[in-house]
């Protein structure tokens, strides 16, 4: 994982190899080629929460190493736009949840300056949001115009069959065997978004390691009963 300009640590699992691309194959292929070549201005990635936007931005940073910087803007709204200082020195700038600062004049002016510096120098901007640039609420029209020039990709949520495959892929990356029937059982839980399902899988991984048990449905049921309050309380990160 790259050492970032800010005190942030990429998630160990956030690599392209652990992302199930169903419905988003073109986006994943584009990001891999962009990471390898640096040819292109970047892209605007938008979609619902817990569809993998953060995963993909961090995967770019993992692949490009110290040439990149990752900044989750939602965590730095109160810190002010000074956190953007120095980012223009990196080739790949990955800005997550950019719509959280939309409508903030100082943020927007600083972002506009950063975008001009990065794009005019041949750098790459990879941005995530919950909506398209024109629907994100930017007050500075020049900034909105800059963002509309980036190739847009709408992240598609996974169908249930692909949620199972995504869980199995994540499990295999952790050295776990997740049977199809167990994965399907996990989909019956109250929270079915991938962030919550991955959090549940992480918890089950720890419990199976402690108990030296396989991830069978009976074992999973036991864990859920013992930790019902904690697991049902999972929220998206």
């Amino acid at each position: 994982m790259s050492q970032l300009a800010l005190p942030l640590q990429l998630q160990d699992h956030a690599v392209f190899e652990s992302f199930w691309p169903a419905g988003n194959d073109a986006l994943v292929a584009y990001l891999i080629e962009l990471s390898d070549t640096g040819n292109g201005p970047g892209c605007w990635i938008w979609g619902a929460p817990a569809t993998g936007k953060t995963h993909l931005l961090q995967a770019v940073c993992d692949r490009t190493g110290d040439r990149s910087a990752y900044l989750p803007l939602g965590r730095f709204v109160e810190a002010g736009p000074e956190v953007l200082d120095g980012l223009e020195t990196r080739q790949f700038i990955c800005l997550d949840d950019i719509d959280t600062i939309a409508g903030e004049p100082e943020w927007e002016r600083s972002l506009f300056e950063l975008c001009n510096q990065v794009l005019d120098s041949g750098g790459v901007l990879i941005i995530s949001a919950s909506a398209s640039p024109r629907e994100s609420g930017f007050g500075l029209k020049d900034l909105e115009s800059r963002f509309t020039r980036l190739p847009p990709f709408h992240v598609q949520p996974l169908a249930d069959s692909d949620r199972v495959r995504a869980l199995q892929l994540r499990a295999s990356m952790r050295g776990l065997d997740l049977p199809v029937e167990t994965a399907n059982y996990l989909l019956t839980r109250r929270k079915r978004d991938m962030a919550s399902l991955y959090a549940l899988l992480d918890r089950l991984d720890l419990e199976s390691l402690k108990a030296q048990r396989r991830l069978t449905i009976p074992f999973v049921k036991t864990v859920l009963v013992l930790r019902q309050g904690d697991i049902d309380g999972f929220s998206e990160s």
Side-chain angles (χ1 to χ4, degrees):
M1 298 295 179
S2 62
Q3 181 66 41
L4 306 180
L6 295 166
L8 298 171
Q9 181 65 43
L10 302 181
Q11 301 175 73
D12 290 338
H13 68 263
V15 296
F16 286 117
E17 291 78 9
S18 65
F19 187 84
W20 187 256
N24 300 295
D25 304 81
L27 169 58
V28 174
Y30 177 86
L31 289 175
I32 291 175
E33 182 177 1
L34 185 63
S35 301
D36 291 343
T37 66
N39 294 331
C43 61
W44 180 279
I45 303 171
W46 64 281
T51 49
K53 300 186 298 294
T54 294
H55 187 137
L56 290 172
L57 265 62
Q58 291 197 8
V60 170
C61 290
D62 174 79
R63 199 172 182 94
T64 55
D66 290 336
R67 295 177 294 150
S68 64
Y70 168 77
L71 181 62
L73 289 173
R75 291 170 53 185
F76 290 94
V77 176
E78 299 301 324
E82 292 77 17
V83 299
L84 302 175
D85 293 347
L87 291 184
E88 72 279 357
T89 63
R90 303 295 180 95
Q91 182 182 4
F92 295 85
I93 311 299
C94 297
L95 302 176
D96 208 356
D97 297 324
I98 201 169
D99 45 334
T100 57
I101 54 80
E104 300 287 340
E106 291 186 8
W107 269 104
E108 292 194 6
R109 286 193 295 269
S110 296
L111 274 172
F112 183 60
E113 182 178 346
L114 174 64
C115 290
N116 286 336
Q117 290 174 327
V118 173
L119 296 177
D120 291 347
S121 65
V124 178
L125 276 174
I126 301 173
I127 295 173
S128 86
S130 59
S132 67
R134 296 195 187 282
E135 297 173 327
S136 291
F138 293 106
L140 185 59
K141 293 306 176 184
D142 286 341
L143 178 62
E144 179 185 289
S145 177
R146 263 294 195 180
F147 288 151
T148 60
R149 299 178 198 174
L150 296 173
F153 290 90
H154 185 194
V155 181
Q156 302 298 319
L158 296 177
D160 280 354
S161 59
D162 287 308
R163 290 172 192 261
V164 168
R165 293 183 176 90
L167 283 169
Q168 289 183 304
L169 176 61
R170 177 69 65 88
S172 69
M173 296 289 290
R174 301 189 65 143
L176 291 171
D177 176 32
L178 180 64
V180 172
E181 58 272 17
T182 304
N184 278 316
Y185 177 75
L186 294 181
L187 293 185
T188 67
R189 308 314 302 161
R190 181 162 58 89
K191 297 196 174 203
R192 294 162 49 83
D193 65 272
M194 291 312 300
S196 297
L197 288 170
Y198 284 148
L200 177 53
L201 181 62
D202 289 345
R203 181 65 60 85
L204 292 171
D205 181 17
L206 291 175
E207 296 299 330
S208 69
L209 187 62
K210 290 178 185 177
Q212 293 295 299
R213 296 277 303 276
R214 295 173 58 247
L215 294 182
T216 61
I217 291 178
F219 175 71
V220 169
K221 285 181 177 179
T222 300
V223 173
L224 292 178
V225 169
L226 291 175
R227 295 180 173 267
Q228 194 68 43
D230 292 337
I231 292 176
D232 280 350
F234 280 153
S235 61
E236 180 196 350
S237 59

